[in-house]
């Protein structure tokens, strides 16, 4: 885990392949699925724990890199 990677819980599924991820019980961000998960067709459901890599310029957006 680098400094921009955090863990969170999928709070809801949004249109266009986006997910709303709750990071520390307070902060919510929108995230899309990273390429490795997408190619292997991992299904994400509300309540799943995920690892999110935050965008360097916008801390409210990110990419889901792994399902925990």
């Amino acid at each position: 885990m680098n400094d921009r990677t955090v863990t969170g819980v999928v709070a809801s599924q949004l249109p266009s392949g986006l997910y709303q991820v709750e990071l520390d019980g307070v902060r919510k961000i929108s995230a899309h699925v990273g390429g490795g998960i997408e190619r292997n067709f991992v299904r994400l459901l509300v309540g799943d724990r995920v690892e999110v890599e935050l965008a360097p310029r916008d801390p409210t957006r990110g990419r889901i890199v792994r399902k925990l």
Side-chain angles (χ1 to χ4, degrees):
M1 258 174 50
N2 61 20
D3 57 343
R4 291 187 347 221
T5 306
V6 294
T7 59
V9 178
V10 176
S12 64
Q13 187 174 6
L14 303 173
S16 301
L18 289 174
Y19 294 90
Q20 190 170 31
V21 179
E22 191 172 320
L23 294 183
D24 42 18
V26 178
R27 203 168 101 188
K28 289 188 179 181
I29 64 164
S30 60
H32 66 277
V33 178
I37 294 177
E38 201 172 76
R39 278 190 296 250
N40 293 327
F41 192 68
V42 174
R43 187 177 303 257
L44 290 175
L45 300 172
V46 173
D48 285 346
R49 293 200 46 179
V50 293
E51 190 172 290
V52 179
E53 184 178 294
L54 297 175
R57 297 179 190 224
D58 188 2
T60 63
R61 299 191 51 85
R63 171 179 37 205
I64 298 172
V65 292
R66 189 160 57 126
K67 181 177 176 181
L68 302 175

